[in-house]
């Protein structure tokens, strides 16, 4: 039985993975709040952004945490297509849950269906990512702990969607995001506790890519995407801001000083016109010029 180390770099990978999960949750919640206040194509686009943010955050959290996963007696490689499939699954199933909430007429039923779908999808992403591992040995799981990790995923997903429906203020969203990040991280490490590895020492080369060759660059790229998305969301006007801008008058009303100046100018213009008219009449009444 190989010794498993889930934090080979100390608190670095758990802290970074928690931060990425929280950032993805915060972006997803803000985008969902924007979507619920929008209609038509705008709602759809905000929901797509929310799904990509949450799914990317969860996937990045998982694989940053996996950078700290070491097994004594064997190297660890990753099957590239299966790892990318786990990313696709994360985004698609989160999208299914978010759209169920965004377009569902019965909020309660949509919340239950979306939470169940998203939670099972998040768990599927986790175990697909684990199935992508390539090492000298065999990975085994404790069924009860696996079931607990799936239950945590479903509860965390349902709580996230509930927050998207009921939490509006930025401060409340930030607190909910921290809680969701902790829930997702708990699901991951609960799933990892279920793992045991029977190492079979071998000198044969392992297929796939190492974490530093593939996982690390991809995680950095997706992390950059999350930060760029965060800037986009922060700079985009809210529905209230757009409504206020649309209801504002095209031009500001003139001030009292401006109105007084205009009145004085009009009076002066009238007086000048009267003077010119009087002069013209006097010229018309004078004697005719002699020949």
């Amino acid at each position: 039985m190989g010794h498993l180390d889930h934090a080979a770099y100390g608190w670095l990978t758990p802290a970074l993975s928690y931060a990425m999960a929280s950032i993805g949750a915060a972006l997803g919640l803000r985008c969902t709040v924007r979507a619920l206040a929008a209609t038509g194509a705008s709602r759809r686009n905000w929901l797509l952004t929310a799904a990509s943010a949450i799914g990317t955050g969860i996937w990045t959290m998982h694989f940053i945490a996996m950078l700290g996963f070491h097994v004594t007696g064997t190297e660890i490689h990753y099957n590239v297509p299966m790892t990318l499939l786990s990313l696709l699954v994360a985004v698609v199933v989160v999208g299914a849950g978010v759209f169920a909430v965004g377009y569902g007429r019965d909020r309660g039923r949509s919340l239950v269906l979306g939470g169940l779908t998203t939670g099972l999808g998040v768990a599927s992403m986790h175990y697909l990512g684990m199935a992508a591992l390539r090492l000298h040995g065999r990975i085994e799981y404790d069924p009860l702990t696996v079931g607990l990790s799936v239950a945590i995923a479903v509860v965390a997903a349902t709580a996230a969607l509930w927050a998207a429906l009921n939490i509006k203020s930025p401060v409340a969203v930030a607190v909910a995001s921290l809680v969701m990040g902790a829930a997702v991280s708990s699901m991951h490490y609960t799933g990892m506790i279920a793992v045991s590895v029977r190492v079979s020492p071998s000198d044969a080369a392992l297929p796939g890519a190492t974490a530093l060759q593939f996982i690390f660059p991809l995680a950095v790229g997706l992390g950059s995407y999350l930060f760029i998305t965060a800037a986009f969301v922060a700079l985009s006007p809210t529905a209230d801001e757009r409504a206020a801008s649309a209801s504002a008058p095209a031009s500001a009303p003139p001030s009292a000083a401006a109105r007084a100046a205009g009145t004085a100018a009009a009076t002066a213009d009238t007086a000048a016109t009267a003077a010119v008219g009087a002069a013209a009449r006097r010229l018309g009444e004078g004697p005719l010029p002699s020949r």
Side-chain angles (χ1 to χ4, degrees):
M1 192 76 67
H3 172 70
L4 277 60
D5 189 349
H6 297 290
Y9 301 106
W11 284 101
L12 177 62
T13 50
L16 284 177
S17 62
Y18 170 70
M20 297 310 298
S22 298
I23 291 171
L27 284 175
L29 289 179
R30 291 303 297 162
C31 291
T32 306
V33 169
R34 298 285 188 92
L36 294 175
T39 57
S42 180
R43 171 173 288 195
R44 179 201 62 205
N45 293 339
W46 278 118
L47 290 175
L48 288 173
T49 306
S52 65
I54 297 175
T56 299
I58 292 172
W59 187 93
T60 306
M61 174 271 146
H62 171 82
F63 280 100
I64 287 179
M66 290 302 294
L67 291 174
F69 178 65
H70 286 191
V71 179
T72 303
T74 179
E75 294 182 347
I76 297 176
H77 285 200
Y78 293 86
N79 178 281
V80 174
M82 191 170 292
T83 302
L84 294 176
L85 176 62
S86 69
L87 172 60
L88 179 62
V89 167
V91 174
V92 169
V93 296
V94 169
V98 168
F99 270 80
V101 167
Y103 285 101
R105 295 183 178 180
D106 186 336
R107 289 290 179 87
R109 185 172 61 183
S110 298
L111 181 61
V112 172
L113 178 61
L116 182 62
T117 302
T118 304
L120 292 176
V122 169
S124 299
M125 179 279 299
H126 174 87
Y127 289 105
L128 268 175
M130 293 300 296
L133 266 65
R134 298 292 180 264
L135 47 76
H136 294 302
R138 187 174 74 253
I139 298 177
E140 299 175 346
Y141 296 93
D142 175 64
L144 291 178
T145 313
V146 168
L148 178 60
S149 70
V150 174
I152 292 174
V154 172
V155 171
T158 304
L161 295 176
W162 178 89
L165 286 173
N166 296 281
I167 293 178
K168 307 299 180 185
S169 73
V171 174
V173 166
V175 174
S177 302
L178 295 176
V179 174
M180 288 166 54
V184 172
S185 297
S186 298
M187 177 267 162
H188 170 83
Y189 285 105
T190 301
M192 295 307 295
I193 291 172
V195 174
S196 60
V197 179
R198 294 186 177 275
V199 176
S200 303
S202 174
D203 294 330
L206 288 168
T210 66
L212 291 179
Q213 288 174 338
F214 172 61
I215 299 300
F216 181 71
L218 186 58
V220 170
L222 292 175
S224 301
Y225 163 75
L226 288 177
F227 281 106
I228 292 172
T229 305
F232 167 76
V233 173
L235 295 174
S236 297
T238 64
D240 292 339
E241 290 171 344
R242 288 195 298 270
S245 176
S247 63
S251 60
S255 63
R259 289 196 299 270
T263 302
T267 302
D269 183 64
T270 302
T273 302
V276 170
R281 286 194 299 273
R282 285 196 298 271
L283 288 174
E285 294 172 354
L288 293 175
S290 59
R291 292 183 181 272

